[in-house]
Amino acid sequence: MELIKDGIRIDGRKKDELREIKIKAGVLKRADGSAYVEWGMNKVYAAVYGPRELYPRFLRRYDKAILQCRYNMASFSVEERKRPGPDRRSVEISKVTRSALEPVVLTENFPESVINVNIEIVQAEAGTRCAGITAASVALADAGIPMRDLLPACAAGKVGGEIVLDLCKEEDNFGESDLPIAMVPRTGGITLLQMDGLMTEEEIEEALNLAKKGCKIIYEKQKEALKQKYRGNNND
Ligand code: ADP
């Protein structure tokens, strides 16, 4: 399969082009904070509860709140029905989501508490961990939880010998490498960095820089989603 020809990718994008992204804050009335992200064909909800008292008590930290993250893929989110419930992949993504978000949340303000972050992948098309983290940080802000910054996440990788931004499903399946990151825009700090496949040191650096550019674009969309909500014109 030819994934890239004359600089144009299989889905018509240029190398440094993101898929279309829409972000909406405050979409679920029952949660303390929420967000919805449509990113290419990915459809992702994030819902936040808390901070609230943590039970069982022995899990409490006297110096900070704990962040509990749960990433879940709906059975109908992929082509072959996915067996419901946690699997190795969702446990791993829940864990990296927590460790990505923790540095941006002021957990020290809420000792002995828990903040719950639930991420539901309703439709998947590669890049769901980035879409989930992007949605979760907007949902945390929407819940009024104090944060150092929002946390956009985006991947870059190597496809058909070229470094490209934001891999789609075919590129993820048949490309050489995928490198998702989450970046704290204000400091440039990276709180998620994963990679699979093979790239040279130079290619990794190029992919990292491209993914950072993607994060900056997503950051603007996150801020806009929150402004939209507080301007009250969320169209619902
Ligand atoms: P990410 O979604 O963060 O890119 P992966 O690289 O693990 O994470 O997965 C890539 C894509 O593979 C997913 O976005 C999804 O489209 C697809 N996928 C993941 N798990 C399954 C599954 N159990 N069945 C079918 N497709 C899946």
Side-chain angles (χ1 to χ4, degrees):
M1 185 187 299
E2 198 166 29
L3 289 169
I4 187 156
K5 196 175 175 213
D6 302 329
I8 299 296
R9 295 155 67 179
I10 193 157
D11 59 1
R13 283 182 292 155
K14 297 196 210 86
K15 286 191 278 184
D16 61 351
E17 206 176 328
L18 288 165
R19 288 172 284 181
E20 199 178 323
I21 301 180
K22 286 186 209 147
I23 308 179
K24 209 166 166 184
V27 289
L28 303 169
K29 302 297 175 224
R30 303 282 180 259
D32 294 323
S34 60
Y36 175 63
V37 170
E38 249 180 53
W39 182 331
M41 280 193 324
N42 290 312
K43 295 186 178 183
V44 176
Y45 283 95
V48 167
Y49 292 89
R52 51 189 179 182
E53 276 188 346
L54 174 60
Y55 290 98
R57 271 174 181 272
F58 73 86
L59 289 178
R60 288 184 187 177
R61 293 273 317 236
Y62 70 90
D63 56 341
K64 62 175 186 179
I66 70 160
L67 209 55
Q68 278 180 349
C69 294
R70 179 177 168 272
Y71 164 102
N72 184 54
M73 255 182 157
S75 297
F76 51 80
S77 66
V78 286
E79 266 168 45
E80 294 274 317
R81 176 182 178 275
K82 183 197 164 286
R83 198 162 161 240
D87 49 24
R88 281 172 60 131
R89 180 177 169 277
S90 65
V91 171
E92 179 235 333
I93 298 181
S94 300
K95 186 193 169 291
V96 297
T97 299
R98 184 185 61 73
S99 55
L101 289 167
E102 192 153 26
V104 298
V105 178
L106 292 168
T107 52
E108 60 272 31
N109 287 14
F110 308 102
E112 307 196 352
S113 307
V114 59
I115 299 166
N116 284 105
V117 178
N118 296 282
I119 295 166
E120 285 292 326
I121 311 299
V122 178
Q123 192 167 284
E125 193 227 356
T128 58
R129 77 192 63 209
C130 292
I133 291 169
T134 297
S137 72
V138 174
L140 282 161
D142 181 50
I145 291 170
M147 293 162 80
R148 295 179 176 84
D149 205 346
L150 290 165
L151 189 68
C154 185
K158 187 175 170 189
V159 171
E162 310 259 12
I163 304 300
V164 301
L165 183 61
D166 183 25
L167 279 63
C168 68
K169 190 79 181 79
E170 290 81 4
E171 293 175 329
D172 188 70
N173 286 358
F174 306 111
E176 291 93 299
S177 183
D178 185 23
L179 183 148
I181 67 163
M183 180 178 80
V184 186
R186 224 184 300 172
T187 60
I190 304 281
T191 67
L192 171 95
L193 177 68
Q194 296 186 294
M195 188 184 122
D196 56 40
L198 182 67
M199 284 196 276
T200 65
E201 218 175 304
E202 292 75 33
E203 287 169 339
I204 292 172
E205 197 169 334
E206 194 184 334
L208 189 55
N209 285 331
L210 195 55
K212 284 183 186 172
K213 277 191 198 154
C215 284
K216 284 182 192 152
I217 297 167
I218 292 155
Y219 185 46
E220 295 307 315
K221 291 181 191 283
Q222 289 178 309
K223 287 190 288 188
E224 193 47 43
L226 287 162
K227 282 187 201 155
Q228 282 279 341
K229 164 148 191 223
Y230 289 98
R231 271 191 222 118
N233 48 358
N234 225 1
N235 306 322
D236 59 10

